[in-house]
Amino acid sequence: MLEEVERWLSTRSWSVTDRPLHQILAAKQRSGQSVSVVLPALNEEETVGDIVAVIRHDLMQQVPLVDEIVVVDSGSTDRTSEVASAAGARVVHRDDILPRLPAVPGKGEVLWRSLLVTTGDIVCFIDADLKEFSSDFVSGIVGPLLTDPGIDLVKGMYDRPLGGARGQGGRVTELMARPLLNMHWPQLAGFVQPLGGEYAARRSLLEQLPFPVGYGVELGMLIDALHLVGLDALAQVDVGVRKHRHQDGQALGRMAAAIYRTAQLRLARGHLIRPSLTQFERGEDGFEPRTYSVDTEERPPMAEIAEYASRKVA
């Protein structure tokens, strides 16, 4: 590991207990900064309501840390929107944001559009499929941004159990993202959960970043932030254990392909020869191929969008 990364681990990696809530609140009051929490959601009726309810109770009603909770529904066919709204979130449908630009499927697309419907100086992203959710996920990763003006982006780190086995989750991280980062961006080798969906950043940084529309968004954001603000402006906080719904191996393969493609573009910005992935499923006549397209689109920095610029002027 690079000496720079060893130093970073000792100065930019914290535990949620390092910043008591009263300290974070005092820093928020001094700075006057506002905090938005965004949950991108697609068919998450079983979990999204509990997450919203915990954040509202712990960090809005008990203490005034969070200023708004926005659930961006990317086309759910279940009761995600109704459950989230009943729990106290403001629900916005992806297709209603920036309608002049047709939406494409993908998590990154939803996160990018969320910048247009939130107002916080700090934006905190939380996945909507978390189980046994703790508000430490929010306060832990927002804390450094409020207490340290030199920090621009904070990733959550945690244990990810799989089937009762500790530390076996995050398979795409271990098989794809971590090798890529260690080989090509060794400054980022200290991140425990580089693909984790729980992170917070200053709006002033997010609006300058391009957003891969799909699963590559977390990797792309981390790499681009490194180049834009430097390693010392990035940090991570241990928030405990993350429990969520795990995807099957083929879905993970598609995720890995999108992440590799995101890395490839950042390595060379070269020509992507075949933006697709073929996988196999056993059918009545043996193994049958299924070919999926790999996300090949990125949204530009939000600062370049006219509607966003006019909103800031207004």
Side-chain angles (χ1 to χ4, degrees):
M1 183 176 290
L2 298 176
E3 289 186 9
E4 179 183 8
V5 176
E6 291 182 352
R7 178 193 55 77
W8 179 85
L9 280 169
S10 66
T11 60
R12 291 292 186 269
S13 292
W14 298 293
S15 166
V16 66
T17 58
D18 290 334
R19 288 176 177 79
L21 193 53
H22 68 84
Q23 179 184 347
I24 298 172
L25 284 170
K28 181 178 190 285
Q29 292 167 356
R30 287 194 303 271
S31 67
Q33 296 178 92
S34 54
V35 176
S36 298
V37 175
V38 172
L39 279 72
L42 177 63
N43 295 328
E44 304 293 357
E45 66 177 3
E46 293 183 4
T47 51
V48 68
D50 289 341
I51 297 171
V52 170
V54 168
I55 296 172
R56 275 190 56 82
H57 177 268
D58 293 358
L59 302 180
M60 297 182 80
Q61 296 169 349
Q62 295 288 96
V63 296
L65 179 64
V66 171
D67 297 280
E68 63 175 350
I69 306 174
V70 178
V71 171
V72 183
D73 191 329
S74 58
S76 297
T77 56
D78 65 1
R79 298 182 60 254
T80 290
S81 290
E82 293 87 342
V83 171
S85 180
R90 177 162 60 93
V91 178
V92 184
H93 290 270
R94 176 199 61 195
D95 295 350
D96 294 334
I97 307 171
L98 200 61
R100 72 167 175 83
L101 197 63
V104 297
K107 178 184 179 182
E109 177 83 352
V110 174
L111 300 184
W112 182 73
R113 289 176 185 258
S114 75
L115 297 181
L116 269 164
V117 293
T118 54
T119 59
D121 302 301
I122 293 169
V123 182
C124 175
F125 298 118
I126 300 290
D127 281 350
D129 65 342
L130 302 187
K131 302 173 182 177
E132 301 177 28
F133 179 77
S134 167
S135 59
D136 285 349
F137 274 70
V138 175
S139 59
I141 57 180
V142 165
L145 293 163
L146 291 169
T147 62
D148 189 336
I151 301 295
D152 287 322
L153 185 149
V154 180
K155 296 281 293 188
M157 57 176 168
Y158 27 67
D159 291 320
R160 296 183 67 178
L162 175 64
R166 184 175 180 180
Q168 296 302 306
R171 290 161 287 173
V172 175
T173 293
E174 300 304 330
L175 296 174
M176 177 61 73
R178 200 176 308 286
L180 281 171
L181 291 176
N182 276 265
M183 288 187 291
H184 299 297
W185 295 278
Q187 286 178 294
L188 297 174
F191 277 93
V192 175
Q193 298 291 352
L195 301 185
E198 290 69 47
Y199 50 98
R202 299 191 191 282
R203 178 177 294 271
S204 57
L205 171 63
L206 293 172
E207 65 187 12
Q208 297 181 69
L209 299 176
F211 277 59
V213 297
Y215 285 125
V217 63
E218 275 85 20
L219 185 80
M221 187 179 297
L222 201 56
I223 293 169
D224 294 340
L226 172 68
H227 290 300
L228 193 63
V229 296
L231 183 60
D232 280 344
L234 313 179
Q236 61 185 352
V237 173
D238 187 347
V239 291
V241 178
R242 184 185 196 268
K243 297 181 180 180
H244 65 111
R245 182 187 68 252
H246 292 282
Q247 302 200 49
D248 62 34
Q250 294 213 333
L252 296 179
R254 297 190 289 274
M255 185 184 301
I259 288 165
Y260 178 75
R261 173 261 171 191
T262 299
Q264 181 193 48
L265 287 183
R266 279 154 180 77
L267 283 169
R269 296 291 174 182
H271 177 59
L272 189 61
I273 296 173
R274 185 176 180 268
S276 60
L277 174 73
T278 298
Q279 297 176 319
F280 294 87
E281 298 176 7
R282 184 182 289 279
E284 293 181 0
D285 299 320
F287 285 103
E288 301 174 356
R290 300 284 189 272
T291 299
Y292 302 88
S293 62
V294 175
D295 301 316
T296 58
E297 188 170 355
E298 293 194 4
R299 294 304 190 187
M302 187 57 77
E304 298 177 8
I305 300 299
E307 287 89 339
Y308 186 80
S310 63
R311 189 192 76 162
K312 293 184 71 174
V313 171

